[in-house]
Structures are given as structure tokens and as C-alpha cells.
Amino acid sequence: MATRKTSGLRSWLRSGEPWVWMNAAAVGTSILAVIGLVGLIAWNGLAHFWPHAIVQLETGTADNPVILLGELVDTDTTERLQYEEATGDGALPEAQTTVTRVLLKTGNRRTAPPDFRWVYDHRINRISQPVDAIVIERTEWGNAYGFLESVRDGDRTVTGVKAQEALARAIDFAEELRENIRDLQQAELQRVNAGIEALRLEDRRIALSDRSPTDKQSAHADVAQRRAALEATYATLERELREHINRFQGHEITLRRADGETEVIPLANIVRTWQPNAMSLAGKLGHYLSSVWLFLSEDPREANTEGGIFPALFGTVMMVLLMSLLVTPFGVIAAIYLREYAHQGAFVRLIRIAVNNLAGVPSIVYGVFGLGFFVYFVGAGIDQLLFPEALPAPTFGTPGLLWASLTLALLTVPVVVVSTEEGLTRIPRSVREGSLALGATKAETLFRVILPMASPAILTGVILAVARAAGEVAPLMLVGVVKLAPTLPVDGLFPFLHLDRKFMHLGFHIYDVGFQSPNVEAARPLVYATTLLLLTIILLLNLTAILLRNRLEQRYRGVEG
Amino acid sequence: MTTSNGGAADTSSIQDQSTSLKVLDWSLYYGASQALKSISLDIPQRKVTAFIGPSGCGKSTLLRCFNRMNDLIDDVSVDGHILLEGQDIHAPEVNVAQLRRRVGMVFQRPNPFPKSIFENVAYGLRIQGGVPRGELEDRVEWSLKMAALWDEVKDRLKESALGLSGGQQQRLVIARAVAVQPSVLLLDEPASALDPISTLKIEELIHQLKDNYTIVIVTHNMQQAARVSDLTAFLYLGELIEFAATEQIFTNPSKKRTEDYITGRYG
């Protein structure tokens, strides 16, 4: 009986079926791991934007009641022993071994800190969801939670039921005003500022030039005259700006907090308000979408723990595109030389090994190289040659978009070289001979036949390069990424694309929000949301390149091999 | 198939005809090993000349000397002269690209480019440059007609050449070679990768083309050599053993080794 069983097992082993099962299990585990990873990030990141219900908790003792209002963010369970050591409370029932607590986001960081509180379940006396509770998203000090008391609209004060409508009107008014201010600041004032800075540099340039003293004097006078005109414009614009800001005066909201106190919030600080407990599902969905949109389109606030991530999104895409533009020609030309022109000897083999090994160099090393070579050497040289009037303030001799893109291009060039070389090797000799036999030169053959046929392989290399570059953070910290960039690398001022500017990056933003943030609890959901966005961006960039490659492959199918 | 009766009944009359390619004392070395040994022969104009011989005898190597395709191989050295219409093709002042326009070549396996049928045929003309658009279309049509492919592809010129059958691809490649109007056409076992019907079509085509072109064909198939060629050269281990009118080679070879090969004793 036992022997028959063994032989059955042995024949089963020999049939190869366990092998199939093992493979299936390995594949299944990998897929589960990917789904788990993306799922966790997506859930935590996307849930952040949902308008959670506001709960009112009554806790404390009968003589000293504490009423808290806020969003339920988290729950966890701790051991009885830990609880007793932390609180010194010995009054728990004998049978209870664990204690549950909830994390409440109570907001109101300036007037009633802290803005996140843990509350033990058994200490909550009453829990309710007041329908008229309101959340106010502010440009400063985070969200405020409470009940709308009154709205002051210039010189009228509206209370009671009418306050709701007045609030909606006030928000529209604030939005319009803020847009005017933003236009004034970003378009007009920035342009005038840039003009004044350009004149300052022109003045220096005149001083540094070898013109005659009288010549210089008249040139200086000319610059001074133009500057006076610009400064007059600046003064007018500033006055206009102040007028706009003054229009906010007298517009404010009075909020009654859960503890009964009232506080006044100036309208200028209010981004938007909502009453989640009174919202229908459709209303919540609309709010959700607008939250996502604000996250994608707004600048960050409050040390990156509030607001959106648009500059980081823009910087990441810009950097990756620029990197692809730099790495593709560079890698392709190198591969063509290595494969088509260089004599295939020991030296070329050595170069090939070196290029392959470059891919294994830790990325921070590239960052150090980029800083030492591009920024301090090349950048400083460019400044000496082209921007001497701005010195000692560096123009290109400081980390910036161009240097970050170049450093990443260097980091990813081995990938492009290797896959282009593979593509070139796969093209059959007969096709090359066919072209040469028709009287084409080697270069004509290369450009008309070989490169188009190798284009899918080249694109594969670019895909891999993009995937690697978009996720890289360490080298960027040395060559151009900053926590907060005041301006985007692209704007309406000549020369429109500012390669010398520092920029923000999603990968670095995750690190910054997650580890350098002053408000850990507020930052946590943003870490997930930003991570999800970074994943989406990489996915989209890759998908575009993959679709393009597949189209090309379709075209050249049947010749390779 | 019709047998060739191009009037080349004996060797003496061949010598009288005007020569297209004249090979003089030609040797070729791959590194240290000699692949062609002092070969001399005259290839007449507007005739089909076939090179036969066992594998590795050097017939393809000799063929590839006529358009200098061997230049692409490292470590090849040559000695002697090959004259194309009196001009030494290995002279330093010769432009190889221009030489290859005068000496077209068709390879063993069809090698169309991954472009449309039209673009394949127009390729050589576009490289040459200076052919206006309207004339380009005429030349493509003419070439495809020369290659007996026009009727099959005239409605699908914009489609990929890779969608054609093997035999059609080979005729397309011939059209592509003919389009630049060479004076010599080199065919390196043009039918060995094709089925019998496609082979037949290629052979018919060779017959028609010889009115306009000097054709040199390398073949493994002796029946094919007998069917299509006017003259036949038998090569063995890098040496030219015998070169004469095809009829004579196949009916009354003067060398013992030629007879052995033709009667199937080796090869």
C-alpha cells in the first residue's frame, strides 16, 4: 500500500505537473503583489479626497464635558497594559484586555490646537452627526470645523438661514477677486519685475564693457530713464493690487466652534466650504472630483501639507521629456557608431562592457557627478562666457532643470545604447546588402533602411529610460529639485522655457511631504495621493511609448530574424 | 523550357562578341586562404552566363567581385583586374556606389525593404536623386513590367512589400534592380528559395531580360543552368576548370572534372 502511494507520488512528480503548479504559483504571487501594492496606494490616496462625515463626540466628565467636532481619520486597538501605562487609568473593567481609540481631525489649528486628537472609545459619551456642521478650507492654518454663525458682506451681516446663500455668494466673490490678484501678480508684476532685472543687468554690462566714458555715461542715462518708466508702472500696478486686496475688507465669516467659542475668518483666507453631513451622494461625488482637480491644479500651501501638487507634476513631466530629448539622439548615435562603424575588436568590446556597467552605478553617484561637472564646471563656464553681468549671482552655475535632465540622460544612456545595438544586430545582412547593391552609400542605407527598421528597438530603450528616470529622486536633489519652486520652468516671459530654473518633482515631493513635514497626520494621505499620481504619470508615459512602438513593430513585422 | 540557342555554338564565336566583363588573372584571399585562383574569363554582353560548381567552389565569391560586395567583408584581399566595359572596377578613382548602379544584384533570399511596393522599386532612383515625381511613377511601372510583376501588383502599390509571396518578392527585387537601369545583372541563386512554379517564372524572366542586360547567374541546379544560360563556367575549389557554350559543357565537356560533376559523381 505504502509503496504504491510513493510510486503514485513519484509518477506525479515525473509528469511535470508540480512544475506547472509551481510556475502558476509564482506568477500568481507576483500578480497579487502588484495588485496589493497599487491597491493599497490607490485606496489610501483616493480616499483622502472623499468628503468624510463630520462627527461630534461628547467626552470628558459630567462637570467638565469636552465636545469635539471633526472627521474620523483612523482607528486602532492597543493592549490594556500599554493603555494603563500611558494614561495611569486603572478603572477599566476586569475582563477588558484591549482598548480601541479613534483619530479625529478637529482642524482649527491656530485657535484650538492640536488639529488631530486620539479619543478612547470607552470615554465617548455620545456621538452624533450634526447636519449643519461645516468644513472651511483655508489658505492658512488648514481646515476649520464648526457651525456657520454669520456672514459679513461688506457692511451687512447675515445670520440664520440666509447665511448659507450669503456664504455661497461670498465664495464666488472671493474666487473672482483672487483670480484678479493672481493675474496681476503673475502676469503684470512679474513681467515688470523681469524688465527691471534685465535693465539692472544691462547697466552692469555697460559698466563692464570697454566703451569710452562719455559713451558709457549716455548709455547709463538711457537705462536709468527706461528704468524710471518701468518703476512708475510698477508703482501703479502695486497700487492697483493693494486696491484689489482692500476690497476683501469687511468680508468675513463667523464660525461657532464645537466648544461654543466663536471665531472670525477673513474671506480672503477661504478657499471653499462644504457641509458633508447634508450632502447627497451626487453632491459628495461632485465634491470629490473637484477635490481631485484642485489637488492636480493648485500650488502647494502650508509647507506642502495642504493644497495641490501642480508644480511637481509639471516639473516631473518636463524633466522626463527633456531627458528623453537629450538621451535619444545621444544613445542612438553612440550605438550606431559602436555597431556599424567601429572595428569590432577588443577595444569596442571593452567599451560595450563599460557602457553596460554604467547602468549599475548607484544613481546618487550620477548626482554627485552632475553637480561637480555640469553645475560647477560647465555651468560656471557658461556664466563666465554668456552672463558675466549677473555674476556673482549664478545663472547656469547653479542646479536647475537643464542639469537635472542632463544628469538623468547620462544615467539612462546605457539603456538606450544597449537596446539600440540589439535592434541593429537583429536587422538581417541581406537587407543591408540589398540597399548597398542598389548604389546606396552606407550612410544612405543607415538612414533610409536600417534606422527605420531599428526604431521599435530604439523606442524600447527610450521606454526603459523614461521608466527609470521618472522614478529617480536621489541624483535630482543635488542637481535641481527643490522643496518649493516659486515659478514654473515654463511661462510667458522670454525665452519661455527657463532651463536654468529649479523645479519641483513628484518623487522628491513624496519624500518631502512624508519625512520633512511639520504636520505628519495631515501629510500622510498626501503621500499616498502623490505616489499614486507618480505611478499614473510613469504608466501614461510608458503606455504612450509602448503604443508607438507596437505600431512601428506592426509595420516592420516579417523582416526581422 | 526552351533551351538556349543564342548562336554561341562554340568558344571561338564567343570571343568575337563584345565583352561586358573581362576578368584577368583574378585572385581573392580570405585572410591567408585563397578562395579564387588566377581566374580569367570574358563575359559577353547581352548573354546569360552561368557559374556552376559544388558548394564552396567560389562561384558566389566571384560574382560578388563584379559589384565589389566583397568590400564589406573584413580581411579580404584581391589581386588581378576586372574590367567593366574596359574600365578597371577596382581602380582607386572608381565610385563604388556608382559602380553598383551599373551592376545590379539579386540575392538568394528575397530581401525587400519594409516599405511599400512602390517605394521598394523607387528606392534606387530616390538614392540617385534628380528623378521628377511623374517620371518616377513611369519608371516604377516600367520596372515592374520588366519583372513581369505589374499585373499582379498594380492595384496595391501602396501596400507593404512584405505581404507578397516569396516568388513575387523575388521578382520585386529584380524590378528594384532593373529600375536603376544597370548594364549587368548579377543573380546569386535567385530561385533556390522558391517553389517550382515561381522558379519557372524567374527563368522565363531571365530569358526576357537578356535582350537588354548582361546576366551572370550562379546556380546549384544544373538543369537550370542548362535551361537559361548561353555560356557556362565550371568552377572547382577556386579554379576555373572550364568555360564554354552551355551546350558544349553539358553535351561534350572537354575536361574530365567537368564531366564528373555534370554526371553527378560529386558535388
Side-chain angles (χ1 to χ4, degrees):
Chain A
M1 194 66 191
T3 42
R4 266 182 63 189
K5 209 171 176 183
T6 323
S7 75
L9 182 68
R10 190 177 293 162
S11 75
W12 184 67
L13 281 174
R14 226 180 260 164
S15 71
E17 211 167 308
W19 181 237
V20 177
W21 280 102
M22 223 164 79
N23 284 338
V27 171
T29 313
S30 317
I31 292 175
L32 272 179
V34 171
I35 292 176
L37 178 117
V38 176
L40 175 88
I41 291 169
W43 174 250
N44 280 302
L46 292 174
H48 168 62
F49 301 108
W50 190 254
H52 296 286
I54 300 180
V55 294
Q56 182 167 310
L57 301 182
E58 287 164 35
T59 165
T61 55
D63 348 316
N64 185 23
V66 179
I67 299 175
L68 297 172
L69 191 70
E71 290 173 30
L72 278 181
V73 178
D74 204 1
T75 49
D76 80 355
T77 308
T78 45
E79 291 298 314
R80 180 194 179 112
L81 192 66
Q82 271 181 348
Y83 166 76
E84 284 174 345
E85 277 173 3
T87 59
D89 177 13
L92 280 184
E94 205 56 50
Q96 195 170 351
T97 55
T98 57
V99 180
T100 312
R101 55 178 191 167
V102 293
L103 181 64
L104 197 67
K105 181 180 181 186
T106 52
N108 305 345
R109 195 160 77 233
R110 189 169 66 95
T111 48
D115 54 350
F116 283 87
R117 296 171 206 232
W118 285 105
V119 182
Y120 289 101
D121 252 7
H122 62 274
R123 293 189 178 174
I124 299 173
N125 303 324
R126 224 170 76 82
I127 187 160
S128 60
Q129 293 196 2
V131 178
D132 53 344
I134 192 167
V135 189
I136 300 179
E137 191 179 332
R138 299 181 291 184
T139 55
E140 284 168 3
W141 301 104
N143 289 357
Y145 295 85
F147 304 94
L148 186 63
E149 183 85 11
S150 65
V151 177
R152 214 176 114 198
D153 180 3
D155 25 51
R156 286 187 305 142
T157 303
V158 186
T159 51
V161 197
K162 288 266 172 74
Q164 281 303 333
E165 291 165 31
L167 180 63
R169 272 200 309 275
I171 297 280
D172 285 344
F173 169 73
E175 212 162 279
E176 197 188 316
L177 206 51
R178 245 199 305 270
E179 198 154 305
N180 286 342
I181 291 172
R182 195 165 36 224
D183 283 352
L184 210 58
Q185 276 174 333
Q186 284 185 353
E188 307 281 325
L189 277 171
Q190 214 180 349
R191 190 173 50 76
V192 174
N193 259 333
I196 291 175
E197 171 65 9
L199 284 178
R200 186 185 72 82
L201 293 178
E202 198 179 328
D203 210 39
R204 287 263 338 250
R205 212 176 301 132
I206 294 164
L208 291 172
S209 69
D210 46 4
R211 296 200 240 170
S212 72
T214 47
D215 211 21
K216 274 188 185 179
Q217 220 161 32
S218 68
H220 277 308
D222 177 49
V223 168
Q225 201 183 349
R226 276 190 286 158
R227 183 190 289 172
L230 271 183
E231 270 164 2
T233 323
Y234 188 85
T236 332
L237 284 173
E238 214 180 13
R239 211 174 314 119
E240 209 177 309
L241 184 66
R242 219 173 305 123
E243 271 166 29
H244 272 304
I245 292 170
N246 284 342
R247 284 178 64 198
F248 270 123
Q249 248 171 24
H251 291 263
E252 55 200 22
I253 284 171
T254 309
L255 188 74
R256 186 164 46 79
R257 297 203 307 259
D259 55 10
E261 306 279 319
T262 55
E263 72 173 276
V264 173
I265 302 168
L267 185 61
N269 287 356
I270 296 175
V271 179
R272 56 182 182 149
T273 65
W274 65 97
Q275 290 182 303
N277 294 353
M279 275 179 175
S280 64
L281 187 65
K284 284 186 175 180
L285 206 64
H287 177 87
Y288 180 82
L289 293 177
S290 89
S291 298
V292 171
W293 172 246
L294 283 179
F295 179 68
L296 293 177
S297 63
E298 289 282 299
D299 287 351
R301 298 191 304 262
E302 299 286 283
N304 295 352
T305 59
E306 301 266 341
I309 41 80
F310 178 71
L313 176 63
F314 190 85
T316 307
V317 173
M318 200 67 214
M319 195 267 305
V320 168
L321 288 182
L322 213 60
M323 186 269 334
S324 316
L325 281 182
L326 292 167
V327 77
T328 311
F330 188 45
V332 169
I333 289 170
I336 287 174
Y337 182 76
L338 281 180
R339 184 55 66 185
E340 301 283 319
Y341 288 101
H343 176 75
Q344 302 294 318
F347 185 61
V348 163
R349 259 207 304 284
L350 200 71
I351 290 179
R352 207 165 276 142
I353 291 169
V355 167
N356 284 335
N357 280 334
L358 270 184
V361 173
S363 56
I364 189 77
V365 175
Y366 284 95
V368 173
F369 173 80
L371 185 69
F373 180 72
F374 292 132
V375 177
Y376 291 155
F377 180 70
V378 182
I382 291 176
D383 280 356
Q384 291 284 351
L385 275 173
L386 300 177
F387 306 100
E389 69 277 2
L391 287 172
T395 308
F396 276 99
T398 174
L401 179 61
L402 177 66
W403 304 138
S405 304
L406 264 174
T407 304
L408 283 194
L410 207 64
L411 178 99
T412 50
V413 86
V415 183
V416 179
V417 171
V418 167
S419 73
T420 306
E421 271 208 77
E422 256 164 36
L424 291 173
T425 327
R426 273 213 306 270
I427 294 168
R429 217 178 80 172
S430 67
V431 175
R432 292 162 200 270
E433 286 186 339
S435 170
L436 291 169
L438 286 167
T441 62
K442 193 162 181 170
E444 283 165 337
T445 305
L446 196 63
F447 282 109
R448 284 168 184 260
V449 181
I450 308 288
L451 278 186
M453 285 177 76
S455 54
I458 295 172
L459 267 173
T460 305
V462 176
I463 291 168
L464 294 172
V466 164
R468 183 152 185 217
E472 205 57 75
V473 178
L476 294 176
M477 299 201 282
L478 293 171
V479 290
V481 160
V482 286
K483 178 188 173 81
L484 191 70
T487 44
L488 291 178
V490 175
D491 62 20
L493 296 173
F494 184 80
F496 310 116
L497 173 63
H498 302 272
L499 293 173
D500 55 321
R501 282 194 189 157
K502 293 177 181 60
F503 64 104
M504 291 173 73
H505 184 272
L506 286 171
F508 182 70
H509 199 78
I510 293 169
Y511 166 75
D512 180 66
V513 172
F515 296 98
Q516 309 285 304
S517 159
N519 193 343
V520 182
E521 293 294 351
R524 199 167 48 163
L526 288 181
V527 170
Y528 287 113
T530 314
T531 309
L532 183 65
L533 185 64
L534 180 61
L535 274 180
T536 315
I537 294 291
I538 296 178
L539 198 73
L540 282 179
L541 284 170
N542 276 328
L543 213 63
T544 319
I546 287 170
L547 287 177
L548 195 62
R549 180 189 62 187
N550 288 353
R551 271 193 56 177
L552 286 170
E553 252 171 13
Q554 195 93 22
R555 210 158 127 199
Y556 299 126
R557 184 174 297 162
V559 230
E560 294 204 14
Chain B
M1 271 307 312
T2 33
T3 44
S4 76
N5 48 0
D10 57 77
T11 338
S12 60
S13 66
I14 296 163
Q15 306 303 333
D16 299 336
Q17 304 200 358
S18 55
T19 308
S20 174
L21 279 160
K22 192 174 185 69
V23 182
L24 285 169
D25 208 15
W26 185 253
S27 298
L28 182 140
Y29 306 82
Y30 289 122
S33 71
Q34 191 168 7
L36 296 175
K37 296 170 183 166
S38 295
I39 288 173
S40 294
L41 80 167
D42 292 353
I43 294 169
Q45 266 181 0
R46 298 207 171 86
K47 298 271 174 224
V48 179
T49 306
F51 290 173
I52 60 168
S55 296
C57 70
K59 53 194 191 301
S60 277
T61 303
L62 180 59
L63 190 78
R64 293 166 67 93
C65 289
F66 297 150
N67 65 347
R68 290 182 58 176
M69 282 310 261
N70 289 323
D71 288 13
L72 305 176
I73 303 164
D74 289 338
D75 219 20
V76 164
S77 51
V78 294
D79 187 31
H81 299 279
I82 296 175
L83 307 180
L84 172 65
E85 284 147 16
Q87 185 197 12
D88 189 342
I89 64 169
H90 284 79
E93 70 273 10
V94 168
N95 179 333
V96 183
Q98 264 165 25
L99 167 74
R100 288 181 187 148
R101 273 174 216 152
R102 290 167 64 197
V103 185
M105 185 161 188
V106 172
F107 299 85
Q108 191 172 349
R109 298 181 66 87
N111 57 350
F113 304 131
K115 297 168 183 280
S116 68
I117 293 169
F118 182 90
E119 284 304 322
N120 261 279
V121 182
Y123 184 83
L125 298 169
R126 286 201 197 277
I127 293 282
Q128 230 169 41
V131 184
R133 176 82 215 173
E135 199 186 324
L136 199 66
E137 278 166 21
D138 292 345
R139 285 278 284 275
V140 168
E141 183 180 339
W142 174 83
S143 308
L144 284 168
K145 279 179 177 158
M146 284 296 281
L149 192 59
W150 175 251
D151 292 333
E152 288 160 65
V153 301
K154 64 183 172 197
D155 301 322
R156 44 197 273 214
L157 291 177
K158 294 271 171 268
E159 285 172 34
S160 170
L162 302 176
L164 297 174
S165 74
Q168 286 173 324
Q169 285 188 0
Q170 196 65 310
R171 276 178 285 148
L172 178 73
V173 170
I174 292 174
R176 188 172 75 181
V178 164
V180 289
Q181 293 177 321
S183 57
V184 182
L185 213 48
L186 308 175
L187 308 177
D188 190 357
E189 301 185 38
S192 66
L194 303 180
D195 61 279
I197 291 172
S198 301
T199 304
L200 200 70
K201 283 191 173 159
I202 298 283
E203 286 178 9
E204 277 170 6
L205 183 58
I206 292 170
H207 246 295
Q208 288 157 20
L209 287 173
K210 83 173 175 186
D211 296 338
N212 297 299
Y213 303 95
T214 305
I215 292 173
V216 187
I217 176 170
V218 164
T219 177
H220 258 303
N221 179 333
M222 274 176 288
Q223 282 75 33
Q224 190 174 57
R227 281 194 298 262
V228 302
S229 67
D230 304 309
L231 298 115
T232 299
F234 173 58
L235 284 89
Y236 183 66
L237 295 178
E239 280 177 70
L240 178 65
I241 305 297
E242 193 170 351
F243 179 46
T246 300
E247 250 180 39
Q248 190 188 335
I249 290 266
F250 282 94
T251 55
N252 186 21
S254 59
K255 297 276 170 45
K256 174 84 168 59
R257 274 190 287 190
T258 316
E259 195 184 339
D260 285 351
Y261 180 69
I262 284 162
T263 52
R265 263 181 232 152
Y266 56 85

